[in-house]
Amino acid sequence: MDAEAAVVGPLAEDLRVLNELSVVSEVDADAVGRAREHLEAARAILAEKTLDGPYGVRFTADGRQRSWGNAAVGLRNPIAPPLEFVKDDDGTVRADYFLRRGYEGPPGLTHGGISALILDQVLGYTATVNGCPGMTGTLTLRYRNPTPLGALHAEARVDRIEGIKAFVVGHISDGETVCVEAEGVFILPRWARERMAAEASAVTEAPAQD
Amino acid sequence: MDAEAAVVGPLAEDLRVLNELSVVSEVDADAVGRAREHLEAARAILAEKTLDGPYGVRFTADGRQRSWGNAAVGLRNPIAPPLEFVKDDDGTVRADYFLRRGYEGPPGLTHGGISALILDQVLGYTATVNGCPGMTGTLTLRYRNPTPLGALHAEARVDRIEGIKAFVVGHISDGETVCVEAEGVFILPRWARERMAAEASAVTEAPAQD
């Protein structure tokens, strides 16, 4: 992990813990007030210097993408669980991850939309690392069984490629049972290809994934 | 807004601001260190008394659901944008919402999975308030145009009801262009009906939506 990651990674992790406490804390109003004074102090410090626009995709010195702002995988992003991917030799992508209580939908269960967020990211990454960078064209989710909170597993593989479309399938499981199945079609839409062409003079790296 | 909401709502809002700053702050390592000391102080205060388990669904004195922990709509949940729904006389549900920079996927755009999270919630709520409470069975998303960050609009309506299944359609727009279309099938699966029956002796309210 580089020097910047060692600074901003723990900041995001602090906020992930606080995001969960915002949901489950039972302290009284006075205590919340005292906590908010500290949050305001932290806000004032962090707001002293900020980006003008969104984080976007940055590039490391060796040209690799740095999606640290991403809502599903971002090292810097407290909304992201986050996710770390492992690619097998056969192209299958796997991620073991942990969902705190802030990812709840039905009582005690993972929100179906959070499973969608994770599968969109896993499937899109799978397309990218198998040679088909693109954005989500369609995504179909089938909720087979309740998805608990806590330790979960996601994986995906490219089912087939047709022209500029990659068809990717995957699922989330709790280690024993498949909870959610997904199929996604990933494609570089015309507007993205045009935007990339326009930006090509400044950046010559691989296209961003979502 | 009741007394508890007036305490915990602003806490979550403070953290939404900090979640964005975690992505876009450019202050140096010393400043991040000072901010983290305040976050640790806030954490210690909020952790003094917490729920043992997930937030779940609570009920107000008049029996209405309180999904304050929900990852898409939760008043207490900093991960949620949040969302507030308006139901038209014809049963259509609408929500105007705002996405900060922490909801980014492709550079400068809303993460496709965040749009899925929002549409899952909007469509599920639409099923519930039109008399078909349930959980997501399937959800299909079609990404028609890039979804910006910032001010967005979502809406949904029940397309048809077949037995215990509600077919709901909806979309997200930026005010002019439809960005993402969705169709969802909502149903109370057997395990949820069994769980509700088991809990009926303690709680007699309507089933939870996701």
Side-chain angles (χ1 to χ4, degrees):
Chain A
M1 187 177 287
D2 71 12
E4 187 183 348
V7 172
V8 295
L11 171 64
E13 193 61 19
D14 287 350
L15 286 163
R16 291 185 188 111
V17 172
L18 283 161
N19 285 340
E20 180 176 31
L21 283 170
S22 180
V23 175
V24 302
S25 180
E26 294 191 294
V27 300
D28 64 22
D30 281 352
V32 171
R34 284 185 283 119
R36 290 189 62 208
E37 288 175 14
H38 285 290
L39 297 182
E40 168 54 24
R43 186 206 62 75
I45 293 168
L46 296 173
E48 280 168 10
K49 185 181 178 192
T50 65
L51 297 176
D52 289 333
Y55 188 80
V57 174
R58 307 300 161 107
F59 294 91
T60 60
D62 62 357
R64 286 188 304 167
Q65 287 186 25
R66 176 178 277 186
S67 298
W68 287 0
N70 184 287
V73 295
L75 172 84
R76 291 186 73 127
N77 194 332
I79 294 169
L83 302 176
E84 289 186 25
F85 297 127
V86 177
K87 182 190 172 193
D88 292 350
D89 290 341
D90 68 358
T92 301
V93 170
R94 303 171 192 278
D96 293 307
Y97 59 101
F98 188 91
L99 294 187
R100 292 187 166 91
R101 288 171 284 180
Y103 297 98
E104 189 179 29
L109 301 175
T110 296
H111 196 297
I114 293 294
S115 294
L117 168 66
I118 288 165
L119 284 163
D120 180 49
Q121 187 71 36
V122 175
L123 270 60
Y125 181 82
T126 301
T128 297
V129 298
N130 283 281
C132 299
M135 294 174 59
T136 318
T138 65
L139 182 67
T140 303
L141 303 143
R142 293 181 189 83
Y143 295 85
R144 297 296 192 194
N145 287 290
T147 309
L149 294 163
L152 293 163
H153 173 85
E155 63 178 76
R157 63 179 175 78
V158 174
D159 183 62
R160 65 192 188 279
I161 293 171
E162 296 178 5
I164 56 170
K165 291 183 181 177
F167 293 77
V168 186
V169 294
H171 67 264
I172 287 171
S173 79
D174 62 6
E176 295 183 355
T177 304
V178 170
C179 305
V180 189
E181 294 173 342
E183 177 171 344
V185 182
F186 294 86
I187 188 169
L188 270 184
R190 179 183 299 171
W191 65 264
R193 281 174 278 157
E194 290 171 352
R195 177 180 297 190
M196 285 166 56
E199 291 172 352
S201 58
V203 178
T204 58
E205 302 301 332
Q209 56 160 110
D210 99 351
Chain B
M1 186 176 283
D2 72 11
E4 186 183 347
V7 172
V8 296
L11 171 65
E13 194 62 18
D14 288 350
L15 287 163
R16 291 185 188 110
V17 172
L18 284 162
N19 286 339
E20 180 175 31
L21 284 169
S22 181
V23 175
V24 301
S25 180
E26 294 192 294
V27 299
D28 64 22
D30 280 352
V32 171
R34 284 185 285 117
R36 290 189 63 209
E37 287 175 14
H38 285 290
L39 298 182
E40 167 54 24
R43 185 207 61 76
I45 293 167
L46 296 173
E48 279 168 10
K49 185 181 178 191
T50 66
L51 297 176
D52 289 332
Y55 187 80
V57 174
R58 306 301 160 108
F59 294 90
T60 60
D62 61 357
R64 288 188 303 168
Q65 287 186 25
R66 175 178 278 185
S67 298
W68 286 0
N70 184 288
V73 294
L75 172 84
R76 293 187 72 130
N77 194 332
I79 293 169
L83 303 175
E84 288 187 25
F85 298 126
V86 176
K87 182 189 172 193
D88 292 349
D89 290 341
D90 68 357
T92 301
V93 170
R94 305 171 190 278
D96 292 308
Y97 60 101
F98 187 92
L99 294 187
R100 292 187 166 91
R101 290 171 282 181
Y103 296 98
E104 189 180 29
L109 301 175
T110 296
H111 195 298
I114 293 294
S115 293
L117 168 65
I118 288 164
L119 284 164
D120 180 48
Q121 187 73 35
V122 175
L123 270 61
Y125 181 82
T126 301
T128 297
V129 297
N130 282 280
C132 299
M135 294 176 60
T136 319
T138 66
L139 182 68
T140 303
L141 302 143
R142 293 182 187 82
Y143 295 86
R144 297 295 191 195
N145 286 289
T147 309
L149 294 163
L152 294 163
H153 174 83
E155 62 179 76
R157 63 178 174 78
V158 174
D159 183 62
R160 63 191 188 281
I161 294 170
E162 296 178 4
I164 57 169
K165 291 183 181 178
F167 293 78
V168 186
V169 295
H171 67 262
I172 287 171
S173 80
D174 62 6
E176 296 183 356
T177 306
V178 170
C179 305
V180 189
E181 294 172 341
E183 177 172 345
V185 182
F186 295 84
I187 187 170
L188 270 183
R190 180 183 298 170
W191 65 264
R193 282 174 278 156
E194 290 172 352
R195 178 179 297 189
M196 284 166 57
E199 290 173 352
S201 58
V203 180
T204 58
E205 302 301 331
Q209 56 160 113
D210 100 347

